[in-house]
């Protein structure tokens, strides 16, 4: 079942499209935003809400590059592998990720922190090589810069963990 | 030298908001257009000789002229801005989208008025997050100011404008595939005819134009066709955003007169090759254009001159091949992209491109055979126009056929030495 939030967000998009069917890509994006990826259950939920055949929605979901039909890590690294970035050092970056994170393309680190995916041209060719992590663009990359960026994400992870251990900020730690 | 499209764009700075845009003369073209007959707007664009900046160079006014007009015309009519910039090596529309969103929106309203469209969509690629934010903001401002919605600026003309952020696939840039994507389907191309102008989005008359094309329109309406033609150094009107990427001293993007020669862009603007690297060739307008070599450096970057020289202007953003980069490896990278992004709709494309990719990989891995070159040639023929459903495969064939022609010695070395000579 879609959550109330998901339903509301899909409903809000409906003003932009004259048919329910046309909403399906927005709906998949919304489900992914909430759940991290689109599972079989996610497909079934959206199909039911939009009154589409699940198989047909599956065809749509698997067509688009940014709908993830497999689980991804907390951060998705989208490394541009198109021609300008390839010329300017894509291979070196991919190997650096392998050395630092122990993962290749399409893989997720054991701690679930990063998924590394190849990506087509990000429109930053004059600052190649480039990548995105989640919604943030990074450009003019080299291995040193990658290390700095990864360290930043690691620091954030550690801060998040500490916050979780401390419990909610309002000090209310009583059992329900 | 005038740079109408980029004059208000200051990278690293917030784009002009509506008030700033109006202060610089923005939305004057819209007010002027609304006092003109729709056909006169089209006539001005025709007179200006504006050709599509998405890559194909189709005359914009001619595209519009196929839309049914008059009281009997089907409605709603749709007007779509193709902002799905995914051609590898291309980064020009991003500047216009992020740098001056109101210019695009005004261009869309004026153009939609010319064909009397009722609903507009900006089809934006997902990776352009900043552009999405800024467009949303600008669209809201335009609605608030009465430039969108019912009775625009007090006229009898109405237009609704929506932003659609794609879920990502190169195919969506093909105009009929884009329509399928907007309808919530797989982005396979549609058979033509019927053309979208007659039966497009949800079966209604639809025009699809590129971002840069639409950004030219308000300036044509404001300053006239003669002024626009005079911006150019060739028969095609206007300026052009030219880009250079690869191992040059100053990669970048510049608005220059249409028809600026390759050498001038490469040497004066991009600063020439980086120290220690020599020029070997270039793709002039994205991944799906034919390679050009040193012999072509004096060719003018306009649609007809580039075609006469055996390539295409494409998106006008060139990718430079240097002497320390393997041409076979570069082709492998390009064909890997096309094979991956093929939508799978027609066999010559999905099957042919997979074979091309595998043969090129074999060459790079030292497993090449003499017969590979003939096989690649034959694939290049089978992927050419007339054999496939849309332009994706013919686009993939362009760098392939020209690469085989200009870098034959490099192919031969891979086969002879059973290795890629550029890999240590």
């Amino acid at each position: 079942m879609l959550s109330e939030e998901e339903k509301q967000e899909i409903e809000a998009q409906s003003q932009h499209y004259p048919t329910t069917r046309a909403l399906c890509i927005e709906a998949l994006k919304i489900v992914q935003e909430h759940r991290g990826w689109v599972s079989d259950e996610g497909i079934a939920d959206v199909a039911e809400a939009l009154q589409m055949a699940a198989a047909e929605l599956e065809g749509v979901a698997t067509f688009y590059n940014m709908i993830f039909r497999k689980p991804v890590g907390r951060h998705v690294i989208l490394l541009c592998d198109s021609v300008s970035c390839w010329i300017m050092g894509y291979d070196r970056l991919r190997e650096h990720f392998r050395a630092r994170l122990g993962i290749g393309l399409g893989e997720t680190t054991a701690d679930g922190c990063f998924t590394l995916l190849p990506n087509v041209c990000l429109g930053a060719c004059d600052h190649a090589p480039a990548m995105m992590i989640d919604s943030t663009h990074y450009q003019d990359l080299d291995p040193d810069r990658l290390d700095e960026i990864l360290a930043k994400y690691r620091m954030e992870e550690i801060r998040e963990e500490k916050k979780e251990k401390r419990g909610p900020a309002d000090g209310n730690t009583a059992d329900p | 030298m005038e740079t109408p499209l980029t004059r208000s764009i200051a990278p690293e700075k917030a784009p002009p908001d509506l008030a700033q845009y109006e202060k610089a003369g923005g939305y004057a073209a819209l007010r002027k257009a609304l006092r003109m007959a729709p056909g006169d707007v089209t006539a001005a664009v025709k007179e200006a000789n504006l050709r599509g900046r998405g890559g194909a160079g189709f005359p914009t006014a001619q595209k519009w002229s196929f839309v049914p007009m008059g009281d009997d015309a089907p409605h709603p009519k749709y007007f779509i801005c193709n902002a799905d910039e995914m051609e590898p090596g291309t980064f020009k529309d991003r500047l216009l989208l992020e740098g001056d969103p109101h210019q695009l929106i005004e261009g869309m309203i004026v153009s939609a008025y010319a064909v009397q469209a009722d609903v507009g969509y900006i089809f934006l690629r997902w990776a352009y997050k900043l552009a999405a934010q800024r467009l949303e903001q600008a669209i809201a401002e335009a609605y608030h100011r009465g430039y969108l919605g019912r009775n625009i600026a007090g006229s009898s003309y109405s237009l609704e404008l929506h932003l659609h952020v794609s879920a990502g696939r190169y195919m969506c840039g093909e105009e009929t595939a884009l329509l399928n994507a907007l309808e919530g389907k797989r982005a396979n191309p549609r058979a033509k005819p019927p053309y979208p102008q007659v039966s497009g989005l949800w079966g209604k008359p639809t025009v699809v134009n590129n971002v840069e094309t639409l950004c030219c329109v308000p300036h044509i309406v404001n300053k006239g066709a003669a002024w626009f033609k005079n911006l150019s150094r060739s028969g095609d009107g206007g300026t052009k955003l030219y880009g250079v990427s690869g191992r040059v001293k100053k990669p970048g993007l510049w608005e220059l007169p249409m028809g600026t020669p390759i050498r001038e862009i490469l040497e004066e603007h991009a600063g020439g090759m980086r120290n220690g690297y020599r020029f070997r060739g270039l793709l002039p307008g994205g991944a799906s254009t034919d390679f050009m070599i040193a012999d072509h450096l004096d060719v003018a970057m306009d649609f007809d001159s580039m075609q006469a020289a055996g390539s295409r202007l494409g998106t006008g953003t060139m990718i430079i091949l240097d002497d320390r980069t393997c041409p076979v490896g570069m082709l492998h990278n390009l064909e890997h992209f096309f094979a991956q992004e093929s939508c799978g709709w027609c066999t010559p494309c999905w099957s042919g491109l997979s074979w091309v990719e595998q043969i090129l990989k074999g060459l790079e891995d030292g497993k090449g055979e003499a017969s590979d070159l003939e096989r690649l040639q034959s694939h290049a023929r089978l992927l050419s126009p007339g054999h496939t459903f849309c332009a994706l495969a013919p686009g993939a064939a362009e760098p392939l056929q020209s690469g085989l022609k200009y870098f034959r010695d490099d192919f031969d070395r891979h086969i002879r030495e059973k290795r890629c000579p550029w890999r240590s």
Side-chain angles (χ1 to χ4, degrees), chain B residues 204-421:
Chain B
K204 300 293 187 194
T206 305
V207 171
V208 184
N209 280 142
N210 166 262
V211 173
E212 189 183 350
T213 312
L214 291 170
C215 288
C216 292
V217 173
H219 302 290
I220 293 170
V221 169
N222 257 338
K223 297 193 175 168
W227 167 85
F228 190 75
K229 275 199 281 197
N230 267 333
L231 293 172
S232 166
R233 285 162 72 169
S234 81
D236 307 330
T239 58
K240 177 80 192 78
L241 293 186
Y242 293 110
V244 180
S245 64
R247 289 195 169 106
V248 292
K249 288 202 181 86
K250 293 180 291 181
L253 191 65
W254 307 273
E255 182 180 7
L256 301 171
M258 176 65 93
T260 302
I262 299 173
R263 190 188 301 280
E264 198 176 311
I265 299 167
L266 188 57
E267 289 175 6
E268 286 178 28
H269 299 280
M273 300 301 291
R274 278 196 197 174
N275 294 336
Y277 293 91
R278 287 169 58 186
F279 173 88
R280 283 211 64 195
L282 60 86
L283 298 171
S288 60
T289 54
D290 279 280
F291 274 104
M292 298 176 94
I293 52 173
D295 299 353
H296 300 119
L297 287 178
D298 293 313
V299 175
M301 290 272 280
D302 61 61
F303 293 105
D304 295 338
S305 310
M306 293 299 278
Q307 190 131 25
S311 187
R312 285 193 308 125
L313 176 60
T315 59
T317 43
M318 51 177 106
I319 306 150
I320 309 299
L321 169 67
D322 60 82
D323 64 334
R324 286 160 68 178
T325 298
C326 172
V328 178
M330 180 168 169
L331 258 178
H332 176 234
N333 173 275
L334 294 165
E335 300 302 333
H336 164 76
F337 165 81
F338 287 114
Q340 171 187 294
E341 293 298 317
S342 170
C343 76
W345 188 243
C346 68
T347 308
C349 181
W350 69 257
S351 177
L353 287 171
S354 307
W355 280 113
V356 168
E357 185 194 359
Q358 281 179 41
I359 296 167
L360 289 168
K361 183 170 190 313
L363 285 163
E364 277 290 276
D365 291 346
K367 294 173 191 151
E369 291 166 19
S371 61
D372 285 346
L373 298 185
E374 266 169 56
R375 287 161 69 209
L376 287 173
Q377 297 277 14
S378 109
H379 278 296
R381 266 196 311 279
L382 291 167
L383 293 167
S384 63
H387 296 93
T388 60
F389 214 80
C390 81
L392 187 144
E398 289 182 27
L400 178 62
Q401 62 181 10
S402 48
L404 286 165
K405 183 164 72 184
Y406 295 131
F407 308 116
R408 178 62 194 251
D409 291 349
D410 301 281
F411 279 91
D412 288 340
R413 263 189 82 186
H414 280 71
I415 296 165
R416 205 170 51 240
E417 297 176 21
K418 290 272 173 213
R419 69 187 183 101
C420 172

Side-chain angles (χ1 to χ4, degrees), chain B residues 52-111:
Chain B
R53 307 296 201 240
F58 194 82
T60 304
Q62 198 182 339
K63 200 176 212 183
W64 296 355
S65 71
F66 299 124
V67 175
M69 298 294 284
D71 294 342
D72 298 336
H75 284 272
K77 296 184 202 173
Y78 292 100
F79 202 99
I80 296 168
C81 168
N82 187 345
D84 192 46
E85 184 165 73
M86 273 181 88
E87 179 73 23
T90 300
F91 50 102
K92 67 177 184 74
D93 293 339
R94 182 179 182 180
L95 180 78
L96 297 170
L97 292 160
E98 291 178 356
D100 201 357
H102 277 294
Q103 174 173 251
L104 172 64
I105 291 168
E106 184 180 13
M108 273 200 85
I109 306 169
V110 172
S111 306

Side-chain angles (χ1 to χ4, degrees), chain A residues 16-17 29 59 64 121 137, chain B residues 121 125 127 164-165 185-186:
Chain A
H16 299 299
Y17 304 91
K29 279 156 54 181
Y64 294 96
C121 186
H137 287 260
Chain B
Y121 282 98
R125 75 168 299 198
H164 173 90
V165 178
K185 298 172 183 162
R186 291 169 71 90

